[in-house]
Amino acid sequence: MKPLQISPETAVKLAEQLKVPLEHLMHMPQHILLQKLAELAKSSASEQSEPESK
């Protein structure tokens, strides 16, 4: 399996967002990465749509 074809800057940002080590991210299967990105997008969308309680 070859490493993901993404820029170093993108890799660093994704590793931070997904809370995984950079080395794990670069060797993560593409379908797993896409699944994690979908989960991240879903959670961030639900956070934005929730009304703020004060």
Side-chain angles (χ1 to χ4, degrees):
M1 182 182 346
K2 63 181 179 178
L4 296 172
Q5 301 296 310
I6 57 178
S7 71
E9 296 84 12
T10 301
V12 170
K13 288 180 183 179
L14 281 175
E16 289 173 1
Q17 288 288 320
L18 297 173
K19 297 179 177 70
V20 296
L22 187 57
E23 296 81 16
H24 290 202
L25 176 76
M26 292 306 294
H27 295 286
M28 187 179 290
Q30 189 172 5
H31 69 281
I32 301 292
L33 177 61
L34 291 175
Q35 179 183 358
K36 288 187 177 291
L37 288 173
E39 292 170 3
L40 183 64
K42 185 177 179 182
S43 67
S44 68
S46 67
E47 288 176 3
Q48 291 178 357
S49 65
E50 292 178 359
E52 291 185 23
S53 58
K54 292 184 178 181

